[in-house]
Amino acid sequence: MRMPKVERQRLLGDLLEENPFHTDDDLSKHFNVSVQTIRLDRLEQGIPELRERIKNVAAKTLTGEIKSIHTDEIIGDIVDLKLDVRALSIFDVTKDHVFQRNGIARGHHLFAQANSLAVAVLDDELALTVKSTIHFVKPVKAGDRVVARAEVNKEDSNHKRTKVEVVSEVDGETVFTGEFLMYRTTDKVQEELL
């Protein structure tokens, strides 16, 4: 038996409030209706498309928090951030990001997403990459959504260096890993002693 439209739209709103990252395709499967029906339901309920929902979450997450980089300089959309602990960003690969010959994403885009995330996660006015060790594990193509997770692992208070590890995935599979040694202007240990 088909769910009434009013009930489906109410549940759709609840589901997207809980997790705004569902695609229209995911939602159509969940409610067993066409993608077009989901789009019409969203339109009637004033629910924006996925890209706009991601931007809204990113804007709420970043408001006044990031100190080390301007938000316009971040590659991807940061959707979770706890300074000096962890961060998560989403980057949708388009045909503009891939080589025309083989359709594989150019590596500098994946590196830029990971590096800008490593800078953004640090609670400091200035954070610079001193050294990075990166591995491209699997090719990424147009249409892929790259989810990068950064984790602050270790601080060296004598040299004002912080290690940030980033793992990027597409559909749960690792496609890129990076270890970034970051310079920061603030010595957290000295600040705590004052």
Side-chain angles (χ1 to χ4, degrees), residues 13-39:
D14 292 346
L15 191 61
L16 289 175
E17 183 72 31
E18 196 176 295
N19 181 358
F21 305 117
H22 288 296
T23 64
D24 286 347
D25 190 50
D26 294 340
L27 295 166
S28 74
K29 290 174 186 169
H30 179 82
F31 290 107
N32 199 26
V33 295
S34 70
V35 172
Q36 186 60 32
T37 298
I38 292 297
R39 288 181 181 148

Side-chain angles (χ1 to χ4, degrees), residues 58-59 61-78 81 83 89 112-113 115-122 124-128:
T61 301
L62 302 179
T63 304
E65 288 191 40
I66 296 180
K67 299 176 184 176
S68 56
I69 188 171
H70 194 278
T71 55
D72 292 346
E73 298 170 326
I74 296 170
I75 306 301
D77 296 309
I78 296 181
L81 175 69
L83 291 174
S89 78
Q113 178 191 21
N115 189 62
S116 63
L117 192 60
V119 171
V121 73
L122 297 180
D124 209 321
E125 294 297 323
L126 177 67
L128 303 170

